[in-house]
Amino acid sequence: MDYTFDFASVVAAWPQFLEGAWLTIQLSFPATVIGFVMGTLCAIGRRSAVRWLSKLCGAYVEVVRNTPLLVQVFLVFFGLSSLGWKVPAFTAALVALVINVAAYSCEIMRAGMDAIHKGQLEAAECLGLTRRQVYWHVILRPAMEKVYPALTSQFVLLMLATSITSQISVEELTATAARVQSETFRPFEAYILVAVAYLALSLLMRAGLWLFGLAVFTRRRRLGTGVAR
Amino acid sequence: MTQAPATNPVVVELKDVHKRFGANHVLKGVSFAIPKGQVVAIIGKSGSGKSTALRCIDRLEIIDSGTIEVCGHAVHDPAIDLRRLRQDVGIVFQSYNLFPHLTVEQNITLAPRAVKGLSGADALAIAERTLRQVGLADKAQAYPEQLSGGQQQRVAIARSLAMEPQVMLFDEVTSALDPQLTGEVLRVIEQLAQGGMTMVLVTHEMEFAARVADTIIYMHEGKVWETGPGQMLREPQTPELRDFLSHGL
Ligand SMILES: Nc1ncnc2c1ncn2[C@@H]1O[C@H](COP(=O)(O)OP(=O)(O)OP(=O)(O)O)[C@@H](O)[C@H]1O
Ligand SMILES: [Mg+2]
């Protein structure tokens, strides 16, 4: 127990950490947005009366949820290059993350959609709305509102899981820590710093998602503040 | 009560309608016709097929045989244009089924905008008018969960009226309500009847049915068992109706 902390050399590498954090954000943000949209479409597909489509969406979700993310990242990275597609590691990582978060979003959104009372769908149908309009006006927003806490957790998990892409040499936060520690011989300090950085990113992300929820779910905002009219 | 002349054009007509759910033969040859402006009340025991008959009129259930004509639409025809049928038919359920994430006003303007393509201003004007009609002009900005059951049901009626239907169907719309809230909903329905709206009411409110309906249909075991004016409830012809009235009230 005579370890003496020395953060000086690690902290001196802050511009590298900043760059790494920026790359982590560049991976997480588009992966979350694209993955959520794809996952929502997948949930609609799963609920479809078209058997093969519903089965296909279900199979996709099961495959992704029952294999490790690291393997998925390798599969996309080496798979694409084996097929002759020369893509940068960043692109391969983004594709793998989208595939992953879409599957989890699909499961979560499906639960939200299934929780909408059948009577509301019938009422919408009786008013003459098409199936697409029913989804857009009656199902989507309340479904998302119901499962928003679960979605938030999943998106934060995804941001943390981007660390895995360091394995295919994407220079995000974790890869930065690895590089800095090999240059400074201060691994403990480097990973403490990177843990703090992830923690800050997580808190920032939760705050952002909370504000987004407040903006989108107007009813919750109005009723929450007790403004009864 | 002003009796709508029976010579008015028929807007709803069922002919020998059969409906099965698996082995359960629910409608066994139901026939009736409703002239424009008439109010018909359907009464009968639980499970006699009242809701099923009503749902078949709006093609929420697809019939096995027979024909249903509603405002010139052949409802039994698989090629029917559902969107147009549903613009002509309004339906209100026991559970109000309002959209919880939308305000009262948005609940009402949604279909006129999305289905009829009305502008926001035109839809708002309709919402204002229908809310006044059901006595809730001051609740336009409220969310459904802020309203009582009776108020929610009146909003559901306003939402249907906003599409300016030719026929309104009501399926036990007061069954989930306390007695004091039932009255406010029944008053709205009665006003609609006086305004000349063609309506079908499935109801357990016998006094109300006798007072408001031009014709009463008593359903029993999937058939139209007895039919007649409100007077029929005082002089039942069949032992089944007599039995139902003495136990049901
Ligand atoms: N979607 C369905 N699937 C299977 N059976 C159904 C369905 N809807 C109704 N039934 C059956 O059809 C029969 C008639 O039901 P219906 O709801 O029309 O009765 P009702 O006269 O409206 O009764 P209540 O007064 O209880 O509302 C019942 O035996 C019911 O179980
Ligand atoms: Mg019923």
Side-chain angles (χ1 to χ4, degrees), chain A residues 117-130 133 136-139 141-142 145-146 218-220 222-223 226-229, chain B residues 55 58-60 83 86-87 89 91 93 95 97-103 107 110-111 114-115 139 141-143 145-146 159-160 163:
Chain A
H117 198 282
K118 298 281 168 292
Q120 283 166 32
L121 309 186
E122 202 161 68
E125 194 187 326
C126 290
L127 288 167
L129 273 73
T130 61
Q133 287 175 326
W136 186 248
H137 295 288
V138 179
I139 299 182
R141 189 141 60 101
E145 186 171 355
K146 275 181 211 289
T218 41
R219 170 177 65 131
R220 183 169 285 178
R222 270 217 0 226
L223 299 186
V227 185
R229 280 216 253 175
Chain B
R55 292 169 60 83
D58 204 16
R59 209 167 200 272
L60 288 168
R83 230 169 141 79
R86 287 180 178 156
Q87 288 191 39
V89 181
I91 184 164
F93 302 96
S95 52
N97 299 336
L98 296 179
F99 308 128
H101 62 299
L102 301 179
T103 62
N107 261 277
L110 173 60
V115 179
K139 296 292 184 193
Q141 302 306 323
Y143 282 93
E145 67 190 89
Q146 296 171 299
R159 183 175 65 177
S160 272
M163 291 300 279

Coordinates of all heavy atoms in Angstrom, one line a residue, chain A residues 117-130 133 136-139 141-142 145-146 218-220 222-223 226-229, chain B residues 55 58-60 83 86-87 89 91 93 95 97-103 107 110-111 114-115 139 141-143 145-146 159-160 163:
Chain A
H117 N -53.7 1.0 -24.8 CA -55.0 0.3 -24.7 C -55.6 0.1 -26.0 O -55.7 1.0 -26.9 CB -55.9 1.2 -23.8 CG -57.1 0.5 -23.3 ND1 -58.2 0.2 -24.0 CD2 -57.3 -0.1 -22.0 CE1 -59.0 -0.5 -23.3 NE2 -58.5 -0.7 -22.1
K118 N -56.0 -1.2 -26.3 CA -56.6 -1.5 -27.6 C -57.8 -0.6 -27.9 O -58.0 -0.3 -29.1 CB -57.1 -3.0 -27.5 CG -56.0 -4.0 -27.3 CD -55.2 -4.3 -28.6 CE -54.0 -5.1 -28.3 NZ -53.0 -4.3 -27.5
G119 N -58.5 -0.2 -26.9 CA -59.7 0.7 -27.2 C -59.3 2.0 -27.9 O -60.0 2.5 -28.7
Q120 N -58.1 2.5 -27.5 CA -57.7 3.7 -28.2 C -57.4 3.5 -29.7 O -57.7 4.4 -30.5 CB -56.4 4.3 -27.5 CG -56.7 5.0 -26.2 CD -55.5 5.2 -25.4 OE1 -54.4 5.4 -25.9 NE2 -55.6 5.1 -24.1
L121 N -56.8 2.4 -30.0 CA -56.5 2.0 -31.4 C -57.8 1.9 -32.1 O -58.0 2.3 -33.3 CB -55.7 0.8 -31.5 CG -54.4 0.7 -30.6 CD1 -53.6 -0.5 -30.9 CD2 -53.6 2.0 -30.8
E122 N -58.8 1.2 -31.5 CA -60.1 1.0 -32.1 C -60.8 2.4 -32.4 O -61.4 2.6 -33.4 CB -61.0 0.1 -31.2 CG -62.1 -0.6 -32.0 CD -62.6 -1.8 -31.2 OE1 -63.2 -1.6 -30.2 OE2 -62.4 -2.9 -31.7
A123 N -60.7 3.2 -31.3 CA -61.3 4.6 -31.5 C -60.7 5.3 -32.7 O -61.4 5.9 -33.5 CB -61.2 5.3 -30.2
A124 N -59.4 5.2 -32.8 CA -58.7 5.9 -33.9 C -59.2 5.4 -35.2 O -59.4 6.1 -36.2 CB -57.2 5.8 -33.7
E125 N -59.3 4.0 -35.3 CA -59.7 3.4 -36.5 C -61.1 3.8 -36.9 O -61.4 4.0 -38.0 CB -59.6 1.9 -36.2 CG -59.7 1.0 -37.4 CD -59.8 -0.5 -37.0 OE1 -59.2 -0.9 -35.9 OE2 -60.5 -1.2 -37.7
C126 N -61.9 3.9 -35.8 CA -63.3 4.3 -36.1 C -63.5 5.7 -36.6 O -64.5 6.1 -37.1 CB -64.2 4.1 -34.8 SG -64.4 2.4 -34.4
L127 N -62.5 6.5 -36.3 CA -62.5 7.9 -36.7 C -62.0 8.0 -38.1 O -62.0 9.1 -38.7 CB -61.6 8.8 -35.8 CG -62.2 9.1 -34.4 CD1 -61.2 9.6 -33.5 CD2 -63.4 10.0 -34.5
G128 N -61.6 6.9 -38.7 CA -61.1 6.9 -40.1 C -59.6 7.0 -40.3 O -59.2 7.1 -41.5
L129 N -58.9 7.0 -39.2 CA -57.4 7.1 -39.4 C -56.9 5.9 -40.1 O -57.3 4.8 -39.8 CB -56.7 7.4 -38.1 CG -56.6 8.8 -37.6 CD1 -58.0 9.4 -37.2 CD2 -55.6 9.0 -36.5
T130 N -55.9 6.0 -40.9 CA -55.2 4.9 -41.5 C -54.3 4.3 -40.5 O -53.9 4.9 -39.5 CB -54.4 5.3 -42.8 OG1 -53.4 6.2 -42.3 CG2 -55.2 5.9 -43.8
Q133 N -51.4 6.5 -39.8 CA -51.8 7.6 -39.0 C -52.0 7.2 -37.6 O -51.7 8.0 -36.6 CB -53.1 8.3 -39.6 CG -52.9 9.0 -40.9 CD -54.2 9.6 -41.4 OE1 -55.2 8.9 -41.3 NE2 -54.1 10.7 -42.1
W136 N -48.6 7.1 -36.0 CA -48.0 8.4 -35.9 C -48.7 9.2 -34.8 O -48.0 9.8 -34.0 CB -48.0 9.1 -37.2 CG -47.3 10.4 -37.2 CD1 -47.8 11.6 -37.3 CD2 -45.8 10.5 -37.0 NE1 -46.8 12.6 -37.2 CE2 -45.6 11.9 -37.0 CE3 -44.8 9.6 -36.8 CZ2 -44.3 12.4 -36.8 CZ3 -43.5 10.2 -36.7 CH2 -43.3 11.5 -36.7
H137 N -50.0 9.2 -34.8 CA -50.7 10.2 -33.9 C -51.1 9.5 -32.5 O -51.2 10.3 -31.6 CB -52.0 10.7 -34.5 CG -51.8 11.5 -35.7 ND1 -51.2 12.8 -35.7 CD2 -51.9 11.3 -37.1 CE1 -51.1 13.3 -36.9 NE2 -51.6 12.4 -37.8
V138 N -51.3 8.2 -32.5 CA -51.9 7.6 -31.3 C -50.9 6.7 -30.6 O -51.0 6.6 -29.4 CB -53.2 6.9 -31.7 CG1 -53.8 6.2 -30.5 CG2 -54.2 7.8 -32.4
I139 N -50.0 6.1 -31.3 CA -49.2 5.0 -30.6 C -47.8 5.6 -30.2 O -47.4 5.4 -29.1 CB -49.0 3.8 -31.5 CG1 -50.4 3.2 -31.8 CG2 -48.1 2.8 -30.9 CD1 -50.4 1.9 -32.7
R141 N -46.0 8.4 -29.7 CA -45.6 9.3 -28.6 C -45.9 8.7 -27.2 O -45.0 8.7 -26.3 CB -46.1 10.7 -28.7 CG -45.6 11.7 -27.8 CD -45.4 13.1 -28.5 NE -46.6 13.6 -29.0 CZ -47.3 14.6 -28.4 NH1 -46.9 15.1 -27.2 NH2 -48.4 15.0 -28.9
P142 N -47.1 8.2 -27.0 CA -47.4 7.6 -25.7 C -46.6 6.4 -25.4 O -46.2 6.2 -24.3 CB -48.9 7.3 -25.8 CG -49.4 8.0 -26.9 CD -48.3 8.3 -27.8
E145 N -43.3 7.6 -24.4 CA -43.4 8.2 -23.0 C -43.4 7.1 -21.9 O -42.7 7.2 -20.9 CB -44.6 9.0 -22.9 CG -44.8 9.8 -21.7 CD -45.9 10.8 -21.7 OE1 -46.5 11.0 -22.8 OE2 -46.2 11.4 -20.7
K146 N -44.1 6.0 -22.2 CA -44.2 4.9 -21.2 C -42.9 4.3 -21.0 O -42.6 3.9 -19.8 CB -45.2 3.8 -21.8 CG -46.6 4.1 -21.4 CD -47.5 2.9 -22.0 CE -48.9 3.3 -22.4 NZ -49.8 3.7 -21.3
T218 N -45.3 16.8 -23.5 CA -45.8 18.1 -22.9 C -46.8 17.8 -21.8 O -46.9 18.6 -20.9 CB -46.5 18.9 -24.0 OG1 -47.2 18.0 -24.8 CG2 -45.5 19.6 -24.8
R219 N -47.6 16.7 -21.9 CA -48.6 16.4 -20.9 C -47.9 16.2 -19.5 O -48.3 16.8 -18.5 CB -49.4 15.2 -21.3 CG -50.3 14.7 -20.1 CD -51.1 13.5 -20.5 NE -50.2 12.4 -20.8 CZ -50.4 11.2 -20.3 NH1 -51.4 11.0 -19.5 NH2 -49.6 10.2 -20.5
R220 N -46.8 15.4 -19.6 CA -46.1 15.1 -18.3 C -45.6 16.4 -17.7 O -45.8 16.7 -16.5 CB -45.0 14.2 -18.6 CG -44.2 13.8 -17.3 CD -43.3 12.7 -17.6 NE -44.0 11.4 -17.8 CZ -43.3 10.3 -18.1 NH1 -42.0 10.3 -18.2 NH2 -44.0 9.2 -18.2
R222 N -46.9 19.5 -18.1 CA -48.0 20.3 -17.6 C -48.6 19.7 -16.4 O -48.8 20.5 -15.4 CB -49.0 20.5 -18.7 CG -48.7 21.7 -19.5 CD -49.9 22.5 -20.0 NE -51.2 22.1 -19.6 CZ -52.2 22.0 -20.5 NH1 -52.0 22.3 -21.7 NH2 -53.4 21.7 -20.1
L223 N -48.8 18.4 -16.4 CA -49.5 17.9 -15.2 C -48.5 17.8 -14.1 O -48.9 17.9 -12.9 CB -50.0 16.5 -15.5 CG -51.1 16.5 -16.6 CD1 -51.7 15.1 -16.8 CD2 -52.2 17.5 -16.3
G226 N -48.4 20.7 -12.0 CA -49.7 20.9 -11.3 C -50.5 22.1 -11.9 O -51.4 22.6 -11.3
V227 N -50.2 22.4 -13.2 CA -51.0 23.5 -13.8 C -52.3 22.8 -14.3 O -52.4 22.3 -15.4 CB -50.3 24.1 -15.0 CG1 -51.1 25.3 -15.6 CG2 -48.9 24.6 -14.5
A228 N -53.4 22.8 -13.5 CA -54.6 22.2 -13.9 C -55.5 23.3 -14.4 O -55.7 24.4 -13.8 CB -55.3 21.5 -12.7
R229 N -56.1 23.1 -15.6 CA -57.0 24.1 -16.1 C -58.4 23.5 -16.2 O -58.6 22.4 -16.5 CB -56.6 24.5 -17.5 CG -55.4 25.5 -17.5 CD -55.6 26.5 -18.6 NE -54.6 26.2 -19.6 CZ -54.5 26.9 -20.8 NH1 -55.4 27.8 -21.1 NH2 -53.6 26.6 -21.7
Chain B
R55 N -71.1 -3.5 -33.5 CA -69.7 -3.4 -34.1 C -69.7 -3.9 -35.6 O -68.9 -3.4 -36.4 CB -68.8 -4.3 -33.3 CG -68.5 -3.8 -31.9 CD -67.8 -4.8 -31.0 NE -66.5 -5.2 -31.5 CZ -65.4 -4.5 -31.4 NH1 -65.5 -3.4 -30.7 NH2 -64.3 -4.9 -31.9
D58 N -70.3 -1.0 -38.0 CA -69.1 -0.2 -38.3 C -67.9 -1.0 -38.9 O -66.8 -0.6 -39.0 CB -68.6 0.6 -37.1 CG -67.9 1.9 -37.5 OD1 -67.9 2.3 -38.6 OD2 -67.2 2.4 -36.6
R59 N -68.2 -2.3 -39.2 CA -67.2 -3.2 -39.7 C -66.0 -3.4 -38.8 O -64.9 -3.6 -39.2 CB -66.8 -2.9 -41.1 CG -66.4 -4.1 -41.9 CD -66.2 -3.8 -43.4 NE -66.3 -5.0 -44.2 CZ -65.3 -5.8 -44.5 NH1 -64.1 -5.6 -44.1 NH2 -65.4 -6.9 -45.2
L60 N -66.3 -3.3 -37.5 CA -65.3 -3.7 -36.5 C -65.3 -5.2 -36.4 O -64.3 -5.8 -35.9 CB -65.5 -3.0 -35.2 CG -65.3 -1.5 -35.1 CD1 -65.8 -0.9 -33.9 CD2 -63.8 -1.3 -35.3
R83 N -62.5 4.0 -45.0 CA -62.4 5.4 -44.6 C -63.6 6.1 -44.8 O -64.0 7.0 -44.0 CB -61.2 5.9 -45.5 CG -60.2 6.7 -44.7 CD -59.0 7.0 -45.7 NE -58.5 8.3 -45.5 CZ -57.6 8.6 -44.6 NH1 -57.2 7.7 -43.7 NH2 -57.1 9.8 -44.4
R86 N -66.4 5.1 -42.3 CA -66.2 5.6 -41.0 C -66.3 7.1 -40.8 O -66.4 7.6 -39.7 CB -64.8 5.1 -40.5 CG -65.0 3.6 -40.2 CD -63.9 2.9 -39.7 NE -64.3 1.5 -39.4 CZ -63.4 0.5 -39.4 NH1 -62.2 0.7 -39.6 NH2 -63.9 -0.7 -39.1
Q87 N -66.3 7.8 -42.0 CA -66.6 9.2 -41.9 C -68.1 9.4 -41.7 O -68.6 10.4 -41.2 CB -66.2 9.9 -43.2 CG -64.7 10.0 -43.2 CD -64.2 10.9 -44.3 OE1 -64.8 12.0 -44.6 NE2 -63.1 10.5 -45.0
V89 N -70.1 7.1 -40.1 CA -70.5 6.5 -38.8 C -69.7 6.9 -37.7 O -68.5 6.8 -37.7 CB -70.4 4.9 -39.0 CG1 -70.9 4.2 -37.7 CG2 -71.2 4.4 -40.2
I91 N -68.9 6.2 -33.5 CA -69.2 5.2 -32.5 C -68.6 5.6 -31.2 O -67.5 6.2 -31.2 CB -68.8 3.8 -33.0 CG1 -69.1 2.7 -32.0 CG2 -67.3 3.8 -33.3 CD1 -69.1 1.3 -32.5
F93 N -67.9 4.3 -27.2 CA -67.8 3.0 -26.4 C -68.0 3.3 -24.9 O -67.9 4.4 -24.4 CB -66.4 2.3 -26.6 CG -66.1 2.0 -28.0 CD1 -65.3 2.9 -28.8 CD2 -66.6 0.9 -28.6 CE1 -65.0 2.6 -30.1 CE2 -66.3 0.6 -30.0 CZ -65.5 1.4 -30.7
S95 N -65.9 2.4 -22.5 CA -64.6 3.0 -22.0 C -64.3 4.1 -23.0 O -64.1 3.8 -24.2 CB -63.5 2.0 -22.0 OG -63.5 1.3 -23.2
N97 N -62.0 5.8 -24.2 CA -60.9 5.7 -25.2 C -60.4 7.0 -25.8 O -60.1 7.1 -26.9 CB -61.4 4.8 -26.4 CG -61.7 3.4 -25.9 OD1 -61.3 2.9 -24.9 ND2 -62.6 2.7 -26.7
L98 N -60.3 8.0 -24.9 CA -59.7 9.3 -25.4 C -58.2 9.0 -25.5 O -57.6 8.1 -24.8 CB -60.0 10.4 -24.4 CG -61.4 10.8 -24.3 CD1 -61.6 11.9 -23.2 CD2 -62.0 11.2 -25.6
F99 N -57.5 9.9 -26.3 CA -56.1 9.7 -26.4 C -55.4 10.5 -25.3 O -55.5 11.7 -25.2 CB -55.6 10.3 -27.8 CG -56.4 9.7 -28.9 CD1 -57.0 10.4 -29.9 CD2 -56.5 8.3 -29.0 CE1 -57.7 9.9 -30.9 CE2 -57.2 7.7 -30.0 CZ -57.8 8.5 -31.0
P100 N -54.7 9.8 -24.3 CA -54.3 10.5 -23.1 C -53.2 11.5 -23.3 O -53.1 12.4 -22.4 CB -53.8 9.3 -22.3 CG -53.4 8.3 -23.2 CD -54.3 8.4 -24.4
H101 N -52.5 11.4 -24.4 CA -51.4 12.4 -24.5 C -51.8 13.7 -25.2 O -51.0 14.6 -25.4 CB -50.2 11.7 -25.3 CG -50.6 11.3 -26.7 ND1 -51.6 10.4 -26.9 CD2 -50.2 11.7 -27.9 CE1 -51.7 10.3 -28.2 NE2 -50.9 11.1 -28.9
L102 N -53.1 13.7 -25.6 CA -53.6 14.9 -26.3 C -54.6 15.7 -25.4 O -55.3 15.0 -24.7 CB -54.2 14.5 -27.6 CG -53.4 13.7 -28.6 CD1 -54.2 13.4 -29.9 CD2 -52.2 14.6 -29.0
T103 N -54.6 17.0 -25.6 CA -55.6 17.7 -24.9 C -57.0 17.4 -25.5 O -57.1 16.8 -26.5 CB -55.4 19.3 -25.0 OG1 -55.5 19.6 -26.4 CG2 -54.0 19.7 -24.5
N107 N -57.7 16.0 -29.1 CA -58.4 14.8 -29.3 C -59.5 15.0 -30.4 O -59.7 14.1 -31.2 CB -59.1 14.4 -28.0 CG -58.4 13.3 -27.2 OD1 -58.5 12.1 -27.5 ND2 -57.6 13.7 -26.3
L110 N -58.0 16.0 -34.1 CA -57.1 15.1 -34.8 C -57.7 14.5 -36.1 O -57.1 14.6 -37.2 CB -56.7 13.9 -33.9 CG -55.9 12.7 -34.5 CD1 -54.6 13.2 -35.0 CD2 -55.7 11.7 -33.4
A111 N -58.9 13.9 -36.0 CA -59.5 13.2 -37.1 C -59.9 14.2 -38.2 O -59.6 13.9 -39.4 CB -60.6 12.3 -36.7
A114 N -56.5 15.0 -39.9 CA -55.8 13.9 -40.5 C -56.6 13.1 -41.5 O -56.1 12.7 -42.5 CB -55.3 12.9 -39.4
V115 N -57.9 13.0 -41.3 CA -58.8 12.2 -42.2 C -59.4 13.1 -43.3 O -59.4 12.8 -44.5 CB -59.8 11.5 -41.5 CG1 -60.7 10.7 -42.4 CG2 -59.2 10.5 -40.4
K139 N -63.3 23.2 -21.2 CA -62.3 22.2 -20.9 C -61.4 21.9 -22.1 O -60.6 20.9 -22.1 CB -63.0 20.9 -20.6 CG -63.8 20.9 -19.3 CD -62.9 21.1 -18.1 CE -63.7 21.0 -16.8 NZ -62.9 21.5 -15.6
Q141 N -58.5 22.9 -23.1 CA -57.1 22.7 -22.9 C -56.8 21.6 -21.9 O -55.6 21.4 -21.6 CB -56.5 24.0 -22.5 CG -56.7 25.2 -23.5 CD -56.2 24.8 -24.9 OE1 -55.2 24.1 -25.1 NE2 -57.0 25.2 -25.9
A142 N -57.8 21.0 -21.3 CA -57.5 20.0 -20.3 C -57.0 18.7 -20.9 O -57.3 18.4 -22.1 CB -58.8 19.7 -19.5
Y143 N -56.3 17.9 -20.1 CA -56.0 16.5 -20.6 C -57.1 15.6 -20.0 O -57.6 15.8 -19.0 CB -54.6 16.1 -20.1 CG -53.5 16.7 -20.9 CD1 -52.9 18.0 -20.5 CD2 -53.1 16.1 -22.1 CE1 -51.9 18.5 -21.3 CE2 -52.1 16.7 -22.9 CZ -51.5 17.9 -22.5 OH -50.6 18.5 -23.3
E145 N -57.1 12.9 -18.3 CA -57.0 12.4 -17.0 C -57.4 13.5 -15.9 O -57.6 13.2 -14.8 CB -55.6 11.9 -16.6 CG -54.5 13.0 -16.6 CD -53.1 12.4 -16.6 OE1 -52.5 12.1 -17.6 OE2 -52.6 12.2 -15.5
Q146 N -57.6 14.7 -16.4 CA -58.0 15.8 -15.5 C -59.6 15.9 -15.4 O -60.1 16.7 -14.7 CB -57.5 17.1 -15.9 CG -56.0 17.2 -15.9 CD -55.4 18.5 -16.5 OE1 -55.6 18.7 -17.7 NE2 -54.8 19.3 -15.7
R159 N -65.9 14.2 -30.0 CA -64.8 13.8 -30.9 C -65.5 13.1 -32.1 O -65.1 13.3 -33.3 CB -63.8 12.8 -30.2 CG -62.7 12.4 -31.1 CD -61.7 11.6 -30.3 NE -62.3 10.3 -29.8 CZ -61.6 9.4 -29.1 NH1 -60.3 9.6 -28.8 NH2 -62.2 8.3 -28.7
S160 N -66.5 12.3 -31.8 CA -67.2 11.6 -32.9 C -68.0 12.6 -33.7 O -68.0 12.5 -35.0 CB -68.2 10.5 -32.4 OG -67.5 9.3 -32.2
M163 N -66.6 14.7 -36.7 CA -66.5 14.1 -38.1 C -67.8 14.3 -38.9 O -67.9 13.8 -40.0 CB -66.0 12.7 -38.0 CG -64.6 12.5 -37.6 SD -63.4 13.3 -38.7 CE -63.3 12.1 -40.0

